[in-house]
Amino acid sequence: MAATVAVENLNPKVLKCEYAVRGEIVIHAQHLQQQLQTQPGSLPFDEILYCNIGNPQSLGQQPVTFFREVLALCDHPCLLEKEETKSLFSADAISRAKQILSTIPGRATGAYSHSQGIKGLRDAIAAGIASRDGFPANADDIFVTDGASPGVHMMMQLLIRNEKDGILCPIPQYPLYSASIALHGGTLVPYYLDEKTGWGLEISDLKKQLEDARSKGIDVRALVVINPGNPTGQVLAEDNQCDIVRFCKNEGLVLLADEVYQENIYVDDKKFNSFKKIARSVGYGEDDLPLVSFQSVSKGYYGECGKRGGYMEITGFSAPVGDESYAAYKAEKDGILQSLARRAKALEDAFNNLEGISCNKAEGAMYLFPQIHLPKKAIEAAKAANKAPDAFYALRLLESTGIVVVPGSGFGQVPGTWHIRCTILPQEDKIPAVITRFKAFHEAFMAEYRD
Amino acid sequence: MAATVAVENLNPKVLKCEYAVRGEIVIHAQHLQQQLQTQPGSLPFDEILYCNIGNPQSLGQQPVTFFREVLALCDHPCLLEKEETKSLFSADAISRAKQILSTIPGRATGAYSHSQGIKGLRDAIAAGIASRDGFPANADDIFVTDGASPGVHMMMQLLIRNEKDGILCPIPQYPLYSASIALHGGTLVPYYLDEKTGWGLEISDLKKQLEDARSKGIDVRALVVINPGNPTGQVLAEDNQCDIVRFCKNEGLVLLADEVYQENIYVDDKKFNSFKKIARSVGYGEDDLPLVSFQSVSKGYYGECGKRGGYMEITGFSAPVGDESYAAYKAEKDGILQSLARRAKALEDAFNNLEGISCNKAEGAMYLFPQIHLPKKAIEAAKAANKAPDAFYALRLLESTGIVVVPGSGFGQVPGTWHIRCTILPQEDKIPAVITRFKAFHEAFMAEYRD
């Protein structure tokens, strides 16, 4: 008899994982994209716009030249011995590559490294953290990872022993957390971000959810905070962060700080503070608060999602100030961040100008999470189509405009409210068309379903 | 109260993982290496020789030029538009890079890809498999991974539901398997490779171990086969492989084939056959045998451990035949493989010429796994030092020669037998010195402990 590997006999924890940012809507979009190739003109739009995932370079954002120069030189060090290289690469990229290679045993980028990552790289990361926060950082506390997600999985794997171990997670949250907790057999303990206060984090709600979980016998082990927020895009205020670290200390919780959007701040009245800096500022040392922070090369202004780089514990990025490439580097960096800020504002305004849509300010990250106040008739139509109302709306949006967004139900939301998550990443020259197409769709949708 | 994250409250499955190739001996070696830097001449040797892990480039193996040229060009595609590039890179590396980039949406190597990996890359892998095996392969069956290990973890995670799910593993085995099974909470069902028949795989023993496990209520779900073997270096005979696939079909087992050493064959009378080719040859289609095969860019002649590349399902590698770089590529490839074969033979002969050591032929992979027949006095001394006899021997070897090997107890071995795993990777000009140092140590050791 042949072995059957089927849904019935697979690890149910794996089957429980859901990942809305790559879910039904996206799969449908890929089919429509094939249809556009095979039958051009067969759809009311001529391209698919992927606003479902924070993947800047797939939408045309160009990588930062300096990083790619250094990467190419480190991958093929023979170039460093050739004269022509000087005319192809900037001088500081050449010296940075030499400096990085000098920290790698045998200059062997093709060798297994220390399990935590190359010591020289961790030294540079620790130095960047220290200069950003004004508090010391230790290379031994840095764990280089291939993106932030593997670090999150590692921590969940380490902390979760069984289904009685709970992790406090924001709702809405990025599905990585619900998926990872499910995968490792723990319990997600939700706390709700307050949309009325710009997706604020209320300690009172944290406290309530924690006590509620403990009363059910859940051993709550950690608190996940995403700052700047995903999918909500808010930036936490400093005093709010202080309350959070005190809450974690007093309640004996590990603080898991997702800080991958620390470079993505779009408002002048908010700034990013790492939770490590906040913890040290209120006088907490290592013994007072177990704190894991996640950083990634996929976000920020670098957006190198495909290169799979990240760290556990906070990391900084040292710009080649004053060197030949610096002007170009600075211009590219500022250009990307300023453009993202303009795109965020344009989309936010557009959403708020539409009937039945209210959208909080995009303070940071790469997303807007507008609330769609759906008419009863639309909710009934969704029920008839056996879909969540926001999924029904997103599917209709895709089919009539080619714009791919993620239904709020994929992130969690206050019951009875409906949202979509839309990235701000389409290139700037495309934003007006995105807005026009969205507006036309939404007005037609409301006209069709208005109560 | 502050949270305490301590051994007592961590996931015990994580704590159960052991990884001998990076274990006590290696940590001790790193300390000795620091001592050599701070106090040169303070040890009876002037360098540490890491024979513990299959990490060729850390020991001086140079990467294949063509691969690194293509990689650098894909990292920094701007180079492709510059005239000077033609004088720095081979023409076929340039065209290969262009061809690869053309298969990547938006040429964006910095973008998240399809979850299975870029379709164009999977097409190339499938074509390589088909041309190697003479049987069709499908890009949809290929899952690109960052090395073979993550693929193995994924399969264990998918197959293992609880401690009653068992996985048949060879003993000796590479500790990735015991670690991954422990991490995912399953049961390792051991079968012993037969040292007398050159680490042969006896179906009768497989059958016995399977029935024994089933009688204990274990639901044995899969069979792991490592071919060429690690740490044992044997290459399975074709008829043996046929018996294995029939065994898996008849017993309803998933066959997990670790084939990462498929390019590393050092004897003329053996050749590599993929289990997929064998299964198709005996007439088994997909429905007859669930077969997962693992491949990695870390092994073979490429040895790109640090680049983290691999695939689930078998993969081939298409050489740029006939192109400008081919002669150089071929020379580099053949040079690496022929040198590895000479090193394997030299070390194997050296081991067999020593009192109390017997070493099977190194047919493939990157390792020798000699049996050390330790005198009673040595075993008692080990017990007094509270160490496994082979760990005691390996520690003494390190301390007097700087040669780092892994004790057989880290891989599993027939009770009462003792082995060490030694890689064949020190560069060829160092091999005579390795042998001399090893010989001197071993003779002194035997003189000290001979019964």
Side-chain angles (χ1 to χ4, degrees):
Chain A
M1 112 282 207
T4 51
V5 181
V7 171
E8 311 82 66
N9 59 19
L10 293 178
N11 179 356
K13 291 174 187 168
V14 174
L15 302 176
K16 238 194 274 170
C17 297
E18 285 186 12
Y19 216 60
V21 295
R22 285 173 178 263
E24 177 196 6
I25 300 273
V26 185
I27 292 161
H28 186 54
Q30 286 159 351
H31 294 147
L32 292 180
Q33 189 160 33
Q34 284 165 3
Q35 183 182 334
L36 278 177
Q37 279 154 12
T38 52
Q39 311 153 42
S42 63
L43 293 173
F45 45 86
D46 56 12
E47 67 170 344
I48 301 288
L49 269 175
Y50 287 97
C51 297
N52 56 300
I53 187 167
N55 194 8
Q57 294 189 28
S58 72
L59 296 173
Q61 179 175 307
Q62 290 308 301
V64 172
T65 306
F66 180 79
F67 298 154
R68 293 303 190 94
E69 286 186 314
V70 173
L71 186 57
L73 291 167
C74 288
D75 274 337
H76 192 39
C78 310
L79 294 172
L80 294 166
E81 288 129 43
K82 306 234 176 96
E83 192 56 33
E84 302 92 320
T85 302
K86 297 208 182 81
S87 58
L88 267 182
F89 293 83
S90 63
D92 45 358
I94 290 171
S95 59
R96 176 64 64 90
K98 286 179 176 166
Q99 182 260 318
I100 289 172
L101 287 168
S102 72
T103 69
I104 301 176
R107 297 161 48 96
T109 61
Y112 289 122
S113 70
H114 183 289
S115 297
Q116 271 179 257
I118 291 158
K119 176 68 163 52
L121 174 55
R122 289 183 285 122
D123 288 333
I125 293 166
I129 294 168
S131 71
R132 186 199 57 195
D133 292 348
F135 292 96
N138 183 346
D140 295 342
D141 299 335
I142 308 298
F143 293 77
V144 179
T145 59
D146 49 329
S149 301
V152 170
H153 284 307
M154 278 185 242
M155 289 312 304
M156 295 299 177
Q157 188 160 52
L158 198 65
L159 290 171
I160 296 172
R161 296 159 296 184
N162 55 55
E163 69 287 350
K164 285 290 182 192
D165 281 333
I167 308 289
L168 269 161
C169 283
I171 299 296
Q173 54 106 28
Y174 183 62
L176 164 66
Y177 294 95
S178 48
S180 188
I181 292 167
L183 195 59
H184 296 102
T187 296
L188 187 149
V189 180
Y191 64 90
Y192 287 94
L193 299 176
D194 181 9
E195 189 162 11
K196 290 182 301 306
T197 62
W199 298 114
L201 196 164
E202 301 298 326
I203 299 296
S204 55
D205 186 54
L206 273 183
K207 184 91 182 151
K208 181 179 153 305
Q209 302 294 346
L210 175 65
E211 280 160 4
D212 182 44
R214 284 178 173 162
S215 72
K216 294 180 184 137
I218 302 294
D219 180 353
V220 181
R221 305 212 63 192
L223 167 69
V224 171
V225 179
I226 309 173
N227 178 49
N230 175 9
T232 48
Q234 89 288 1
V235 177
L236 293 177
E238 189 165 346
D239 55 357
N240 196 187
Q241 289 182 277
C242 294
D243 293 340
I244 291 166
V245 297
R246 291 196 190 94
F247 174 79
C248 287
K249 181 185 194 304
N250 297 337
E251 300 295 345
L253 300 175
V254 176
L255 177 53
L256 300 175
D258 180 335
E259 297 177 323
V260 301
Y261 297 103
Q262 58 189 270
E263 304 271 6
N264 300 89
I265 312 280
Y266 307 124
V267 290
D268 300 334
D269 60 333
K270 290 283 183 81
K271 73 185 278 287
F272 171 77
N273 295 296
S274 75
F275 271 105
K276 183 169 174 222
K277 175 184 174 181
I278 295 292
R280 299 296 174 266
S281 306
V282 302
Y284 290 170
E286 301 222 352
D287 300 344
D288 296 306
L289 181 71
L291 167 61
V292 183
S293 178
F294 305 96
Q295 169 64 313
S296 168
V297 301
S298 304
K299 309 305 176 188
Y301 55 90
Y302 12 96
E304 293 282 11
C305 309
K307 298 300 182 189
R308 313 307 308 131
Y311 323 91
M312 272 197 284
E313 251 292 73
I314 302 161
T315 177
F317 217 94
S318 68
V321 182
D323 297 343
E324 172 189 333
S325 289
Y326 184 65
Y329 162 83
K330 185 83 170 52
E332 290 172 348
K333 169 184 176 176
D334 295 347
I336 290 168
L337 291 177
Q338 287 158 8
S339 170
L340 285 171
R342 286 192 298 268
R343 292 180 243 174
K345 188 78 177 65
L347 287 167
E348 173 198 320
D349 293 345
F351 283 132
N352 283 321
N353 285 331
L354 290 173
E355 172 192 7
I357 297 189
S358 57
C359 182
N360 279 327
K361 193 165 212 32
E363 297 175 339
M366 296 179 173
Y367 316 97
L368 291 165
F369 197 64
Q371 181 168 168
I372 318 284
H373 305 272
L374 293 167
K376 275 198 207 57
K377 271 172 65 182
I379 293 171
E380 284 151 13
K383 189 176 288 165
N386 192 24
K387 301 216 171 300
D390 49 7
F392 176 75
Y393 180 89
L395 212 47
R396 289 287 306 274
L397 173 67
L398 168 61
E399 283 167 345
S400 58
T401 66
I403 299 171
V404 187
V405 299
V406 184
S409 44
F411 303 91
Q413 52 200 345
V414 173
T417 70
W418 307 108
H419 300 75
I420 57 171
R421 189 189 79 160
C422 180
T423 71
I424 58 174
L425 296 174
Q427 288 307 286
E428 196 160 4
D429 55 3
K430 290 216 171 129
I431 296 289
V434 173
I435 290 172
T436 312
R437 282 154 67 176
F438 190 97
K439 184 167 184 295
F441 159 76
H442 183 74
E443 285 166 353
F445 183 93
M446 293 303 280
E448 180 176 353
Y449 291 106
R450 192 176 288 104
D451 299 319
Chain B
M1 109 282 201
T4 51
V5 181
V7 171
E8 311 82 64
N9 59 19
L10 294 179
N11 179 356
K13 291 174 188 167
V14 173
L15 302 176
K16 238 193 276 171
C17 299
E18 284 184 14
Y19 216 58
V21 295
R22 285 173 179 262
E24 177 195 7
I25 300 274
V26 185
I27 292 162
H28 186 53
Q30 287 159 351
H31 294 147
L32 292 180
Q33 188 161 33
Q34 284 164 4
Q35 182 182 336
L36 278 176
Q37 280 156 11
T38 52
Q39 312 152 43
S42 63
L43 293 172
F45 45 84
D46 55 12
E47 68 169 343
I48 302 288
L49 268 176
Y50 288 96
C51 297
N52 55 299
I53 185 167
N55 194 8
Q57 295 188 27
S58 71
L59 297 172
Q61 179 175 307
Q62 290 307 302
V64 173
T65 306
F66 180 80
F67 298 155
R68 292 302 190 94
E69 286 186 314
V70 173
L71 186 57
L73 291 167
C74 290
D75 283 337
H76 192 41
C78 310
L79 293 172
L80 294 167
E81 289 130 40
K82 305 229 174 105
E83 193 56 31
E84 302 93 320
T85 302
K86 296 206 182 80
S87 59
L88 268 180
F89 293 83
S90 62
D92 44 0
I94 290 172
S95 59
R96 176 63 64 89
K98 287 178 175 166
Q99 182 259 316
I100 289 172
L101 287 168
S102 71
T103 68
I104 300 175
R107 297 160 48 98
T109 61
Y112 290 121
S113 70
H114 184 289
S115 298
Q116 269 178 260
I118 291 157
K119 175 69 160 53
L121 174 56
R122 290 183 284 122
D123 287 333
I125 292 167
I129 294 169
S131 71
R132 186 200 57 197
D133 292 347
F135 292 97
N138 183 344
D140 295 341
D141 299 336
I142 307 297
F143 294 77
V144 180
T145 59
D146 48 330
S149 300
V152 170
H153 284 306
M154 278 185 242
M155 289 312 304
M156 295 299 177
Q157 188 160 52
L158 198 65
L159 290 172
I160 296 172
R161 295 159 298 185
N162 55 56
E163 68 287 351
K164 284 292 181 191
D165 281 334
I167 309 289
L168 268 163
C169 284
I171 300 295
Q173 54 107 28
Y174 182 61
L176 163 66
Y177 294 95
S178 48
S180 188
I181 292 167
L183 195 59
H184 296 102
T187 296
L188 187 150
V189 180
Y191 65 91
Y192 288 94
L193 299 176
D194 181 9
E195 191 162 10
K196 291 182 301 306
T197 62
W199 300 113
L201 196 165
E202 300 298 325
I203 299 295
S204 56
D205 185 56
L206 272 182
K207 184 90 181 154
K208 182 180 153 305
Q209 302 294 346
L210 175 66
E211 278 159 6
D212 181 43
R214 285 178 173 163
S215 72
K216 295 180 184 140
I218 301 296
D219 181 354
V220 180
R221 306 212 62 191
L223 167 68
V224 171
V225 179
I226 309 173
N227 179 49
N230 176 8
T232 48
Q234 89 288 0
V235 177
L236 294 176
E238 189 166 347
D239 55 356
N240 195 186
Q241 290 183 274
C242 294
D243 294 341
I244 291 166
V245 297
R246 291 195 189 94
F247 174 79
C248 287
K249 180 184 194 304
N250 298 336
E251 300 294 346
L253 300 175
V254 176
L255 177 52
L256 300 174
D258 180 334
E259 296 177 325
V260 300
Y261 297 102
Q262 58 190 269
E263 305 271 6
N264 300 89
I265 312 279
Y266 307 125
V267 290
D268 300 333
D269 60 333
K270 290 282 184 79
K271 75 185 276 284
F272 171 77
N273 295 295
S274 76
F275 271 106
K276 183 168 174 223
K277 175 184 174 183
I278 295 293
R280 300 296 174 266
S281 307
V282 302
Y284 289 171
E286 301 222 350
D287 300 343
D288 296 305
L289 180 71
L291 166 60
V292 183
S293 178
F294 305 97
Q295 169 65 313
S296 169
V297 302
S298 303
K299 309 305 174 188
Y301 56 92
Y302 12 96
E304 293 281 12
C305 309
K307 298 301 183 190
R308 315 308 307 132
Y311 324 91
M312 272 196 284
E313 251 290 79
I314 303 159
T315 175
F317 217 93
S318 67
V321 183
D323 297 342
E324 171 191 332
S325 289
Y326 184 65
Y329 163 82
K330 185 82 168 55
E332 289 171 348
K333 170 183 176 177
D334 295 347
I336 291 167
L337 291 176
Q338 287 158 9
S339 170
L340 285 171
R342 287 191 298 269
R343 291 180 244 175
K345 187 76 176 66
L347 286 167
E348 171 198 320
D349 291 346
F351 283 131
N352 282 321
N353 286 330
L354 290 173
E355 172 193 8
I357 298 188
S358 57
C359 182
N360 279 328
K361 193 164 210 33
E363 297 175 339
M366 295 177 172
Y367 316 98
L368 291 164
F369 198 63
Q371 181 168 169
I372 318 285
H373 306 272
L374 293 167
K376 276 198 204 58
K377 271 172 66 181
I379 292 171
E380 283 151 14
K383 190 175 288 166
N386 192 24
K387 301 214 171 302
D390 49 8
F392 176 76
Y393 180 90
L395 212 49
R396 289 287 307 272
L397 172 67
L398 168 62
E399 283 167 346
S400 57
T401 66
I403 299 171
V404 187
V405 299
V406 183
S409 44
F411 303 92
Q413 52 200 346
V414 173
T417 69
W418 308 107
H419 300 75
I420 56 171
R421 188 189 78 160
C422 180
T423 71
I424 58 175
L425 296 174
Q427 288 307 286
E428 198 160 4
D429 55 2
K430 291 218 171 127
I431 296 289
V434 174
I435 290 171
T436 311
R437 282 153 69 176
F438 189 96
K439 186 167 183 295
F441 159 76
H442 183 74
E443 285 167 359
F445 183 93
M446 294 303 279
E448 180 176 354
Y449 291 106
R450 192 175 289 105
D451 298 318

